[in-house]
Coordinates of all heavy atoms in Angstrom, one line a residue:
M1077 N -52.0 -77.4 1.1 CA -51.3 -77.1 2.4 C -50.0 -76.4 2.1 O -49.3 -76.7 1.1 CB -51.0 -78.4 3.1 CG -50.3 -78.2 4.5 SD -49.7 -79.7 5.1 CE -48.4 -80.1 4.0
E1078 N -49.7 -75.4 2.9 CA -48.4 -74.6 2.8 C -47.5 -75.0 3.9 O -47.8 -75.1 5.0 CB -48.8 -73.2 2.9 CG -47.6 -72.2 2.9 CD -47.9 -70.8 3.3 OE1 -49.1 -70.5 3.6 OE2 -47.0 -70.0 3.4
R1079 N -46.2 -75.3 3.5 CA -45.2 -75.6 4.5 C -44.3 -74.3 4.6 O -43.6 -74.0 3.7 CB -44.3 -76.7 4.0 CG -43.2 -77.2 5.0 CD -42.6 -78.5 4.4 NE -41.6 -79.0 5.4 CZ -40.3 -78.8 5.3 NH1 -39.9 -77.9 4.4 NH2 -39.5 -79.3 6.2
R1080 N -44.6 -73.6 5.6 CA -44.0 -72.2 5.7 C -42.9 -72.2 6.7 O -43.0 -72.6 7.9 CB -45.1 -71.3 6.2 CG -44.7 -69.8 6.2 CD -45.8 -68.9 6.8 NE -47.1 -69.1 6.2 CZ -48.2 -68.6 6.8 NH1 -48.1 -67.9 7.9 NH2 -49.4 -68.8 6.2
F1081 N -41.7 -71.7 6.3 CA -40.6 -71.5 7.2 C -40.9 -70.5 8.3 O -41.5 -69.5 8.1 CB -39.3 -71.0 6.4 CG -38.2 -70.7 7.3 CD1 -37.4 -71.7 7.8 CD2 -37.9 -69.4 7.6 CE1 -36.3 -71.4 8.6 CE2 -36.8 -69.1 8.4 CZ -36.0 -70.1 9.0
A1082 N -40.6 -70.9 9.5 CA -40.9 -70.1 10.7 C -39.6 -69.5 11.3 O -39.5 -68.2 11.4 CB -41.6 -70.9 11.8
C1083 N -38.6 -70.3 11.6 CA -37.4 -69.8 12.2 C -36.4 -70.9 12.3 O -36.8 -72.1 12.1 CB -37.7 -69.2 13.6 SG -38.2 -70.4 14.8
A1084 N -35.2 -70.6 12.7 CA -34.3 -71.6 13.1 C -34.6 -72.0 14.6 O -35.0 -71.1 15.4 CB -32.8 -71.1 13.1
A1085 N -34.6 -73.3 14.9 CA -35.0 -73.8 16.2 C -34.2 -73.0 17.3 O -34.8 -72.6 18.3 CB -34.8 -75.3 16.3
D1086 N -33.0 -72.8 17.1 CA -32.2 -72.1 18.1 C -32.5 -70.6 18.3 O -32.1 -70.0 19.3 CB -30.7 -72.2 17.8 CG -30.1 -73.6 17.9 OD1 -30.8 -74.4 18.5 OD2 -29.0 -73.8 17.4
D1087 N -33.3 -70.1 17.4 CA -33.7 -68.7 17.5 C -34.9 -68.5 18.4 O -35.3 -67.3 18.6 CB -33.9 -68.1 16.1 CG -32.6 -67.9 15.4 OD1 -31.6 -67.9 16.0 OD2 -32.7 -67.7 14.1
L1088 N -35.6 -69.5 18.8 CA -36.7 -69.4 19.7 C -36.5 -70.1 21.0 O -36.4 -71.3 21.0 CB -38.0 -70.0 19.0 CG -39.3 -69.7 19.7 CD1 -39.6 -68.2 19.8 CD2 -40.5 -70.4 19.0
Q1089 N -36.3 -69.3 22.0 CA -35.9 -69.9 23.3 C -37.1 -70.6 24.0 O -38.2 -70.1 23.8 CB -35.4 -68.8 24.2 CG -34.1 -68.1 23.7 CD -33.0 -69.1 23.5 OE1 -32.7 -69.9 24.4 NE2 -32.4 -69.2 22.3
P1090 N -36.9 -71.6 24.7 CA -38.0 -72.2 25.5 C -38.7 -71.2 26.3 O -38.1 -70.3 26.9 CB -37.2 -73.3 26.3 CG -36.0 -73.6 25.6 CD -35.6 -72.3 24.9
G1091 N -40.1 -71.3 26.3 CA -40.9 -70.4 27.1 C -41.2 -69.2 26.3 O -41.7 -68.2 26.9
S1092 N -41.0 -69.1 25.0 CA -41.3 -67.9 24.3 C -42.0 -68.2 23.0 O -42.4 -69.4 22.7 CB -40.0 -67.2 23.9 OG -39.1 -68.0 23.2
S1093 N -42.3 -67.2 22.2 CA -43.2 -67.3 21.0 C -42.8 -66.3 20.0 O -42.1 -65.3 20.3 CB -44.6 -67.2 21.4 OG -44.9 -65.9 21.9
L1094 N -43.2 -66.5 18.8 CA -43.1 -65.5 17.8 C -44.3 -65.6 16.8 O -45.0 -66.6 16.8 CB -41.8 -65.6 17.0 CG -41.4 -67.0 16.4 CD1 -42.1 -67.2 15.1 CD2 -39.9 -67.0 16.1
T1095 N -44.4 -64.6 16.0 CA -45.4 -64.7 14.9 C -44.8 -65.0 13.6 O -43.8 -64.4 13.2 CB -46.1 -63.3 14.8 OG1 -46.8 -63.0 16.0 CG2 -47.2 -63.3 13.7
V1096 N -45.4 -66.0 12.9 CA -44.9 -66.4 11.6 C -45.8 -65.6 10.6 O -47.0 -65.9 10.6 CB -45.0 -67.9 11.3 CG1 -44.5 -68.2 10.0 CG2 -44.3 -68.6 12.4
K1097 N -45.3 -64.6 9.9 CA -46.1 -63.8 9.0 C -46.6 -64.6 7.9 O -46.1 -65.6 7.5 CB -45.2 -62.6 8.5 CG -44.6 -61.8 9.5 CD -45.6 -60.9 10.3 CE -44.9 -59.9 11.2 NZ -45.8 -59.4 12.2
G1098 N -47.7 -64.1 7.3 CA -48.3 -64.8 6.2 C -49.8 -64.8 6.4 O -50.3 -64.1 7.4
E1099 N -50.5 -65.4 5.5 CA -52.0 -65.4 5.6 C -52.5 -66.9 5.7 O -52.4 -67.6 4.7 CB -52.6 -64.7 4.4 CG -54.1 -64.6 4.4 CD -54.5 -63.8 5.6 OE1 -53.9 -62.8 6.0 OE2 -55.5 -64.3 6.2
P1100 N -53.0 -67.3 6.8 CA -53.1 -66.5 8.0 C -51.8 -66.5 8.8 O -50.9 -67.4 8.7 CB -54.2 -67.4 8.8 CG -53.9 -68.8 8.4 CD -53.4 -68.7 7.0
A1101 N -51.7 -65.5 9.7 CA -50.5 -65.4 10.6 C -50.6 -66.5 11.6 O -51.7 -66.9 12.0 CB -50.5 -64.1 11.3
V1102 N -49.5 -67.1 12.0 CA -49.4 -68.2 12.9 C -48.6 -67.9 14.1 O -47.5 -67.2 13.9 CB -48.8 -69.4 12.1 CG1 -48.6 -70.6 13.1 CG2 -49.7 -69.9 11.0
A1103 N -49.0 -68.3 15.3 CA -48.2 -68.1 16.5 C -47.4 -69.4 16.7 O -48.0 -70.5 16.7 CB -49.1 -67.8 17.7
L1104 N -46.1 -69.3 16.8 CA -45.3 -70.5 17.1 C -44.8 -70.3 18.5 O -44.2 -69.3 18.9 CB -44.1 -70.5 16.1 CG -43.1 -71.6 16.3 CD1 -43.7 -73.0 16.0 CD2 -41.8 -71.4 15.5
F1105 N -45.0 -71.4 19.3 CA -44.6 -71.4 20.7 C -43.6 -72.5 20.9 O -43.6 -73.6 20.3 CB -45.8 -71.8 21.6 CG -47.0 -70.8 21.5 CD1 -48.0 -71.1 20.6 CD2 -47.0 -69.6 22.2 CE1 -49.1 -70.2 20.5 CE2 -48.1 -68.7 22.1 CZ -49.1 -69.0 21.2
R1106 N -42.7 -72.3 21.9 CA -41.8 -73.3 22.3 C -41.9 -73.4 23.8 O -41.6 -72.4 24.5 CB -40.3 -73.0 21.9 CG -39.4 -74.1 22.1 CD -38.0 -73.8 21.6 NE -37.2 -75.1 21.6 CZ -36.0 -75.1 21.2 NH1 -35.3 -74.0 20.9 NH2 -35.3 -76.3 21.2
N1107 N -42.3 -74.6 24.3 CA -42.5 -74.7 25.7 C -41.2 -74.9 26.4 O -40.1 -75.1 25.8 CB -43.6 -75.8 26.1 CG -43.1 -77.2 25.7 OD1 -41.9 -77.4 25.4 ND2 -44.1 -78.1 25.6
T1108 N -41.2 -75.0 27.7 CA -39.9 -75.1 28.5 C -39.3 -76.5 28.3 O -38.1 -76.6 28.6 CB -40.2 -74.8 30.0 OG1 -41.2 -75.6 30.4 CG2 -40.4 -73.3 30.2
A1109 N -40.0 -77.4 27.8 CA -39.5 -78.8 27.5 C -38.8 -78.7 26.1 O -38.2 -79.7 25.7 CB -40.6 -79.8 27.5
G1110 N -38.9 -77.6 25.4 CA -38.3 -77.5 24.1 C -39.2 -77.9 22.9 O -38.7 -77.9 21.8
E1111 N -40.4 -78.2 23.2 CA -41.3 -78.7 22.1 C -42.0 -77.5 21.5 O -42.2 -76.5 22.1 CB -42.4 -79.6 22.7 CG -41.9 -80.8 23.4 CD -43.0 -81.5 24.2 OE1 -43.7 -80.8 25.0 OE2 -43.3 -82.6 23.9
F1112 N -42.2 -77.6 20.2 CA -42.9 -76.5 19.4 C -44.3 -76.8 19.1 O -44.7 -78.0 18.9 CB -42.2 -76.4 18.0 CG -40.8 -75.9 18.1 CD1 -39.7 -76.8 18.2 CD2 -40.5 -74.5 18.1 CE1 -38.4 -76.3 18.2 CE2 -39.2 -74.0 18.2 CZ -38.2 -74.9 18.2
F1113 N -45.2 -75.8 19.2 CA -46.6 -75.9 18.9 C -47.0 -74.6 18.1 O -46.4 -73.6 18.3 CB -47.5 -76.1 20.1 CG -47.2 -77.3 20.9 CD1 -46.3 -77.3 22.0 CD2 -47.8 -78.5 20.5 CE1 -46.1 -78.5 22.7 CE2 -47.5 -79.7 21.2 CZ -46.6 -79.7 22.2
A1114 N -48.0 -74.8 17.3 CA -48.4 -73.6 16.5 C -49.9 -73.5 16.5 O -50.7 -74.5 16.5 CB -47.9 -73.8 15.0
T1115 N -50.4 -72.3 16.6 CA -51.8 -72.0 16.6 C -52.0 -70.7 15.8 O -51.1 -70.0 15.4 CB -52.4 -71.7 18.0 OG1 -51.9 -70.4 18.5 CG2 -52.0 -72.7 19.0
A1116 N -53.3 -70.4 15.5 CA -53.6 -69.1 14.9 C -53.0 -68.0 15.8 O -52.9 -68.1 17.0 CB -55.1 -68.9 14.9
D1117 N -52.5 -67.0 15.1 CA -51.8 -65.9 15.9 C -52.8 -65.0 16.7 O -52.4 -64.6 17.7 CB -51.1 -65.0 14.9 CG -50.2 -64.0 15.6 OD1 -49.3 -64.4 16.4 OD2 -50.4 -62.8 15.4
S1118 N -54.0 -64.9 16.2 CA -54.9 -63.9 16.8 C -55.8 -64.6 17.8 O -56.4 -65.6 17.6 CB -55.8 -63.3 15.7 OG -56.7 -62.3 16.3
C1119 N -55.8 -64.0 19.0 CA -56.7 -64.5 20.1 C -58.1 -64.5 19.5 O -58.5 -63.7 18.7 CB -56.6 -63.5 21.3 SG -57.7 -63.9 22.7
T1120 N -58.9 -65.5 19.9 CA -60.3 -65.6 19.4 C -61.3 -64.7 20.1 O -62.4 -64.7 19.7 CB -60.8 -67.1 19.5 OG1 -60.8 -67.5 20.9 CG2 -59.9 -68.0 18.7
H1121 N -60.8 -64.0 21.2 CA -61.7 -63.1 21.9 C -61.8 -61.8 21.1 O -62.9 -61.4 20.7 CB -61.3 -62.9 23.3 CG -62.1 -61.9 24.0 ND1 -61.6 -60.8 24.7 CD2 -63.5 -61.9 24.2 CE1 -62.6 -60.1 25.2 NE2 -63.7 -60.7 24.9
E1122 N -60.7 -61.1 21.0 CA -60.6 -60.0 20.1 C -59.3 -60.1 19.4 O -58.6 -61.1 19.5 CB -60.7 -58.7 21.0 CG -62.1 -58.4 21.6 CD -62.2 -57.1 22.4 OE1 -61.2 -56.4 22.4 OE2 -63.2 -56.9 23.0
L1123 N -59.0 -59.1 18.6 CA -57.7 -59.2 17.8 C -56.5 -58.8 18.7 O -56.4 -57.7 19.2 CB -57.8 -58.2 16.6 CG -58.8 -58.6 15.6 CD1 -58.8 -57.6 14.5 CD2 -58.6 -60.0 15.1
W1124 N -55.7 -59.8 18.9 CA -54.5 -59.6 19.7 C -53.5 -60.7 19.2 O -53.8 -61.9 19.1 CB -54.7 -59.8 21.2 CG -53.5 -59.4 22.0 CD1 -52.6 -60.3 22.5 CD2 -53.1 -58.1 22.4 NE1 -51.6 -59.5 23.1 CE2 -51.9 -58.2 23.1 CE3 -53.7 -56.8 22.2 CZ2 -51.3 -57.1 23.6 CZ3 -53.0 -55.7 22.7 CH2 -51.8 -55.9 23.4
S1125 N -52.2 -60.3 19.0 CA -51.2 -61.2 18.5 C -50.6 -62.0 19.6 O -49.8 -61.5 20.4 CB -50.1 -60.5 17.7 OG -49.1 -61.4 17.4
L1126 N -50.9 -63.3 19.7 CA -50.4 -64.1 20.8 C -48.9 -64.5 20.5 O -48.2 -64.7 21.5 CB -51.2 -65.4 20.9 CG -52.7 -65.2 21.2 CD1 -53.4 -66.6 21.1 CD2 -52.8 -64.7 22.6
G1127 N -48.5 -64.5 19.2 CA -47.1 -64.7 19.0 C -46.2 -63.6 19.4 O -45.1 -63.8 19.9
E1128 N -46.7 -62.4 19.3 CA -45.9 -61.2 19.6 C -45.9 -60.8 21.0 O -45.0 -60.3 21.6 CB -46.3 -60.0 18.7 CG -46.0 -60.2 17.3 CD -46.4 -59.0 16.4 OE1 -46.7 -57.9 17.0 OE2 -46.3 -59.1 15.2
D1129 N -47.1 -61.0 21.7 CA -47.2 -60.6 23.1 C -48.2 -61.5 23.8 O -49.4 -61.4 23.7 CB -47.7 -59.1 23.1 CG -47.7 -58.6 24.5 OD1 -47.3 -59.3 25.4 OD2 -48.2 -57.4 24.7
S1130 N -47.6 -62.4 24.6 CA -48.4 -63.3 25.4 C -47.5 -63.9 26.5 O -46.2 -63.7 26.4 CB -49.1 -64.4 24.6 OG -48.1 -65.2 24.0
D1131 N -48.0 -64.6 27.4 CA -47.2 -65.3 28.4 C -47.5 -66.8 28.3 O -48.6 -67.2 28.3 CB -47.6 -64.8 29.8 CG -47.3 -63.3 30.0 OD1 -46.1 -63.0 29.8 OD2 -48.1 -62.6 30.5
L1132 N -46.4 -67.5 28.2 CA -46.4 -69.0 28.1 C -46.0 -69.6 29.4 O -44.9 -69.4 29.9 CB -45.5 -69.4 26.9 CG -45.6 -70.8 26.5 CD1 -47.0 -71.2 26.0 CD2 -44.6 -71.1 25.4
E1133 N -46.9 -70.4 29.9 CA -46.6 -71.2 31.2 C -46.9 -72.6 30.9 O -48.1 -73.0 30.7 CB -47.5 -70.7 32.3 CG -47.2 -69.2 32.7 CD -48.2 -68.7 33.7 OE1 -49.0 -69.5 34.3 OE2 -48.2 -67.5 34.0
G1134 N -45.9 -73.4 30.8 CA -46.1 -74.8 30.4 C -46.7 -74.9 29.0 O -46.1 -74.3 28.1
N1135 N -47.9 -75.5 28.9 CA -48.5 -75.5 27.6 C -49.7 -74.6 27.6 O -50.6 -74.8 26.7 CB -48.9 -77.0 27.2 CG -47.7 -77.8 26.9 OD1 -46.7 -77.3 26.3 ND2 -47.7 -79.1 27.2
E1136 N -49.8 -73.6 28.4 CA -50.9 -72.7 28.4 C -50.3 -71.3 28.0 O -49.3 -70.9 28.6 CB -51.5 -72.6 29.8 CG -52.2 -73.8 30.2 CD -52.9 -73.7 31.6 OE1 -53.1 -72.5 32.0 OE2 -53.2 -74.7 32.2
V1137 N -51.1 -70.7 27.1 CA -50.7 -69.3 26.8 C -51.8 -68.4 27.3 O -53.0 -68.6 27.2 CB -50.6 -69.2 25.2 CG1 -51.9 -69.4 24.5 CG2 -50.0 -67.8 24.9
L1138 N -51.3 -67.3 27.9 CA -52.2 -66.3 28.5 C -52.2 -65.1 27.5 O -51.1 -64.5 27.2 CB -51.7 -65.9 29.8 CG -52.3 -64.6 30.5 CD1 -53.8 -65.0 30.9 CD2 -51.5 -64.2 31.6
C1139 N -53.4 -64.7 27.1 CA -53.5 -63.4 26.3 C -53.6 -62.3 27.3 O -54.5 -62.2 28.2 CB -54.8 -63.5 25.5 SG -55.1 -61.9 24.6
P1140 N -52.7 -61.3 27.2 CA -52.6 -60.3 28.2 C -53.7 -59.2 28.1 O -53.8 -58.4 29.1 CB -51.2 -59.7 28.0 CG -50.9 -59.9 26.6 CD -51.6 -61.2 26.2
L1141 N -54.4 -59.2 27.0 CA -55.4 -58.2 26.9 C -56.6 -58.3 27.8 O -57.0 -57.3 28.5 CB -55.9 -58.1 25.4 CG -56.6 -56.8 25.0 CD1 -55.7 -55.6 25.2 CD2 -56.9 -56.9 23.5
H1142 N -57.1 -59.5 27.9 CA -58.3 -59.8 28.8 C -58.1 -61.1 29.6 O -59.0 -61.6 30.2 CB -59.6 -59.8 28.1 CG -59.9 -58.6 27.3 ND1 -59.8 -58.6 25.9 CD2 -60.1 -57.3 27.6 CE1 -60.0 -57.4 25.4 NE2 -60.2 -56.6 26.4
M1143 N -56.9 -61.6 29.6 CA -56.5 -62.7 30.4 C -57.1 -64.1 30.1 O -57.2 -65.0 30.9 CB -56.8 -62.4 31.9 CG -56.3 -61.1 32.4 SD -54.5 -60.9 32.1 CE -53.9 -61.6 33.6
A1144 N -57.5 -64.3 28.8 CA -57.9 -65.6 28.4 C -56.7 -66.5 28.3 O -55.6 -66.1 28.1 CB -58.6 -65.5 27.0
R1145 N -57.0 -67.8 28.5 CA -55.9 -68.8 28.4 C -56.3 -69.9 27.4 O -57.5 -70.2 27.3 CB -55.7 -69.5 29.8 CG -55.1 -68.6 30.8 CD -55.0 -69.3 32.2 NE -54.2 -68.6 33.1 CZ -52.8 -68.7 33.2 NH1 -52.2 -69.6 32.5 NH2 -52.2 -67.9 34.1
F1146 N -55.3 -70.4 26.7 CA -55.6 -71.5 25.8 C -54.5 -72.5 26.0 O -53.4 -72.3 26.4 CB -55.4 -70.9 24.3 CG -56.4 -69.8 24.0 CD1 -56.0 -68.5 24.2 CD2 -57.6 -70.1 23.4 CE1 -56.9 -67.5 23.8 CE2 -58.5 -69.1 23.0 CZ -58.1 -67.8 23.2
D1147 N -54.9 -73.8 25.6 CA -54.0 -74.9 25.6 C -53.3 -74.8 24.2 O -54.0 -74.9 23.2 CB -54.7 -76.2 25.8 CG -53.8 -77.4 25.8 OD1 -52.8 -77.4 25.1 OD2 -54.1 -78.3 26.6
I1148 N -52.0 -74.7 24.1 CA -51.3 -74.5 22.8 C -51.3 -75.9 22.1 O -51.0 -75.9 20.9 CB -49.9 -74.0 23.0 CG1 -49.0 -74.8 23.8 CG2 -50.0 -72.5 23.4 CD1 -47.5 -74.4 23.8
Q1149 N -51.5 -77.0 22.8 CA -51.5 -78.3 22.1 C -52.8 -78.5 21.3 O -52.8 -79.1 20.2 CB -51.3 -79.4 23.1 CG -49.9 -79.4 23.7 CD -49.7 -80.6 24.7 OE1 -50.3 -80.6 25.8 NE2 -48.9 -81.5 24.3
T1150 N -53.9 -78.1 21.9 CA -55.2 -78.4 21.3 C -55.9 -77.1 20.8 O -56.9 -77.2 20.1 CB -56.2 -79.0 22.4 OG1 -56.4 -78.0 23.5 CG2 -55.5 -80.3 22.9
G1151 N -55.5 -75.9 21.3 CA -56.1 -74.7 20.9 C -57.3 -74.4 21.8 O -57.9 -73.3 21.7
K1152 N -57.7 -75.3 22.7 CA -58.9 -75.1 23.4 C -58.8 -73.9 24.4 O -57.8 -73.8 25.1 CB -59.3 -76.3 24.2 CG -59.8 -77.5 23.3 CD -60.2 -78.7 24.1 CE -60.7 -79.7 23.2 NZ -61.0 -81.0 23.9
P1153 N -59.9 -73.1 24.5 CA -59.9 -72.1 25.5 C -60.0 -72.7 26.9 O -60.8 -73.7 27.1 CB -61.1 -71.2 25.2 CG -62.0 -72.2 24.4 CD -61.1 -73.2 23.7
L1154 N -59.3 -72.2 27.9 CA -59.3 -72.7 29.2 C -60.1 -71.8 30.2 O -60.4 -72.3 31.3 CB -57.9 -72.9 29.7 CG -57.1 -73.8 28.8 CD1 -55.6 -73.8 29.3 CD2 -57.6 -75.3 28.8
C1155 N -60.4 -70.6 29.8 CA -61.2 -69.8 30.7 C -61.8 -68.6 29.9 O -61.4 -68.4 28.8 CB -60.4 -69.2 31.9 SG -59.1 -68.0 31.3
F1156 N -62.8 -68.0 30.5 CA -63.4 -66.8 29.9 C -62.4 -65.6 29.9 O -61.5 -65.7 30.7 CB -64.6 -66.4 30.6 CG -65.8 -67.3 30.4 CD1 -66.1 -68.2 31.3 CD2 -66.5 -67.2 29.2 CE1 -67.2 -69.1 31.1 CE2 -67.6 -68.1 28.9 CZ -67.9 -69.0 29.9
P1157 N -62.4 -64.7 29.0 CA -63.6 -64.4 28.1 C -63.5 -65.2 26.8 O -64.4 -65.1 25.9 CB -63.5 -62.9 27.8 CG -62.0 -62.7 27.9 CD -61.5 -63.6 28.9
A1158 N -62.5 -66.0 26.5 CA -62.4 -66.8 25.3 C -63.3 -68.0 25.3 O -63.4 -68.7 26.4 CB -61.0 -67.2 25.0
T1159 N -64.1 -68.2 24.3 CA -65.0 -69.4 24.2 C -64.8 -70.2 22.9 O -65.3 -71.3 22.8 CB -66.5 -69.0 24.3 OG1 -66.7 -68.1 23.2 CG2 -66.8 -68.3 25.6
V1160 N -64.0 -69.7 22.0 CA -63.7 -70.3 20.8 C -62.3 -70.8 20.7 O -61.4 -70.0 21.1 CB -64.0 -69.3 19.6 CG1 -63.7 -70.0 18.2 CG2 -65.5 -68.9 19.6
A1161 N -62.1 -72.0 20.2 CA -60.7 -72.5 20.2 C -59.9 -71.9 19.1 O -60.4 -71.4 18.1 CB -60.8 -74.0 19.9
L1162 N -58.6 -71.8 19.4 CA -57.6 -71.4 18.3 C -57.4 -72.5 17.3 O -57.3 -73.7 17.7 CB -56.3 -71.1 19.0 CG -56.2 -70.0 20.0 CD1 -54.8 -70.1 20.8 CD2 -56.2 -68.6 19.2
Q1163 N -57.3 -72.2 16.1 CA -56.9 -73.2 15.1 C -55.4 -73.6 15.4 O -54.6 -72.8 15.9 CB -56.9 -72.5 13.7 CG -56.3 -73.4 12.6 CD -57.3 -74.5 12.2 OE1 -58.5 -74.2 12.0 NE2 -56.8 -75.7 12.1
T1164 N -55.2 -74.9 15.3 CA -53.8 -75.4 15.6 C -53.2 -75.9 14.2 O -53.9 -76.3 13.3 CB -53.8 -76.6 16.6 OG1 -54.7 -77.6 16.1 CG2 -54.3 -76.1 17.9
Y1165 N -51.9 -75.9 14.2 CA -51.1 -76.3 13.0 C -50.0 -77.2 13.4 O -49.4 -77.1 14.5 CB -50.6 -75.1 12.3 CG -51.6 -74.1 11.9 CD1 -51.8 -72.9 12.6 CD2 -52.4 -74.3 10.8 CE1 -52.7 -72.0 12.3 CE2 -53.4 -73.4 10.4 CZ -53.5 -72.2 11.2 OH -54.5 -71.3 10.8
A1166 N -49.7 -78.2 12.5 CA -48.5 -79.0 12.8 C -47.2 -78.3 12.6 O -47.2 -77.3 11.8 CB -48.6 -80.2 11.8
V1167 N -46.2 -78.7 13.3 CA -44.9 -78.1 13.2 C -43.9 -79.2 12.9 O -43.9 -80.3 13.4 CB -44.5 -77.5 14.6 CG1 -43.1 -76.8 14.5 CG2 -45.5 -76.5 15.0
E1168 N -42.9 -78.9 12.0 CA -41.9 -79.8 11.6 C -40.5 -79.1 11.9 O -40.4 -77.9 11.5 CB -41.9 -80.1 10.2 CG -43.0 -81.1 9.8 CD -43.0 -81.4 8.3 OE1 -42.1 -80.9 7.6 OE2 -43.8 -82.2 7.9
V1169 N -39.6 -79.8 12.5 CA -38.2 -79.4 12.6 C -37.4 -80.3 11.7 O -37.3 -81.5 12.0 CB -37.8 -79.4 14.1 CG1 -36.3 -78.8 14.2 CG2 -38.7 -78.6 15.0
D1170 N -36.7 -79.8 10.7 CA -36.0 -80.6 9.8 C -34.5 -80.9 10.3 O -34.1 -80.4 11.4 CB -36.0 -80.1 8.4 CG -35.2 -78.8 8.2 OD1 -34.3 -78.5 9.1 OD2 -35.5 -78.1 7.2
D1171 N -33.8 -81.6 9.6 CA -32.5 -82.0 10.0 C -31.5 -80.9 10.1 O -30.5 -81.0 10.8 CB -31.9 -83.1 9.0 CG -32.6 -84.4 9.1 OD1 -33.4 -84.6 10.1 OD2 -32.5 -85.2 8.1
N1172 N -31.8 -79.8 9.5 CA -31.0 -78.6 9.5 C -31.3 -77.7 10.7 O -30.8 -76.6 10.9 CB -31.0 -77.8 8.2 CG -30.5 -78.6 7.1 OD1 -29.6 -79.4 7.2 ND2 -31.2 -78.5 5.9
G1173 N -32.3 -78.1 11.5 CA -32.8 -77.2 12.6 C -33.7 -76.1 12.2 O -33.9 -75.2 12.9
S1174 N -34.3 -76.2 11.0 CA -35.3 -75.2 10.5 C -36.7 -75.7 11.0 O -37.0 -76.8 10.8 CB -35.2 -75.1 9.0 OG -34.0 -74.6 8.6
V1175 N -37.4 -74.7 11.5 CA -38.8 -75.0 12.0 C -39.8 -74.5 10.9 O -39.7 -73.4 10.4 CB -39.1 -74.3 13.3 CG1 -40.4 -74.6 13.8 CG2 -38.0 -74.6 14.3
H1176 N -40.7 -75.4 10.5 CA -41.7 -75.0 9.6 C -43.1 -75.3 10.2 O -43.3 -76.2 11.0 CB -41.6 -75.9 8.3 CG -40.4 -75.6 7.5 ND1 -39.2 -76.2 7.8 CD2 -40.2 -74.8 6.4 CE1 -38.3 -75.8 6.9 NE2 -38.9 -74.9 6.1
V1177 N -44.1 -74.4 9.8 CA -45.4 -74.7 10.2 C -46.2 -75.2 9.0 O -45.9 -74.7 7.8 CB -46.1 -73.5 10.8 CG1 -45.5 -73.1 12.2 CG2 -46.0 -72.2 9.9
L1178 N -47.1 -76.1 9.2 CA -47.9 -76.6 8.1 C -49.3 -76.0 8.1 O -50.1 -76.3 9.0 CB -48.0 -78.2 8.2 CG -46.6 -78.9 8.3 CD1 -46.8 -80.4 8.3 CD2 -45.7 -78.5 7.1
V1179 N -49.5 -75.1 7.2 CA -50.7 -74.3 7.2 C -51.7 -74.8 6.2 O -51.4 -75.0 5.0 CB -50.4 -72.8 6.9 CG1 -51.7 -72.0 7.0 CG2 -49.4 -72.3 7.9
T1180 N -52.9 -75.2 6.7 CA -53.9 -75.7 5.8 C -54.9 -74.7 5.3 O -55.0 -73.6 6.0 CB -54.7 -76.8 6.5 OG1 -55.1 -76.3 7.8 CG2 -53.8 -78.0 6.7
Ligands
FES192 S1 -58.2 -60.3 23.2 FE1 -57.4 -62.1 24.1 S2 -58.5 -62.2 25.9 FE2 -59.4 -60.5 24.9

């Protein structure tokens, strides 16, 4: 398992996301409640970076390419055209406010 630094918690505003570079790339989301969740960066429908360009509403992320939605907590697809779940990853925020993703 790899514990990969993602960002400082204060650098990711609620309701937004970023891509954590590496192999595999990881999408880190922060919901409006301030909680962090991480999934595979690439939409499972076609190749599209959800960390770099998507819309987050609550715990649902919308892929703007063909409008698939996923639950960022479970990775499950919520509507077509996506039918395959996103891989999910654990997130840790340490005492210094650094956010890490745990990539298996
Ligand atoms: S690439 Fe995401 S819905 Fe098609």
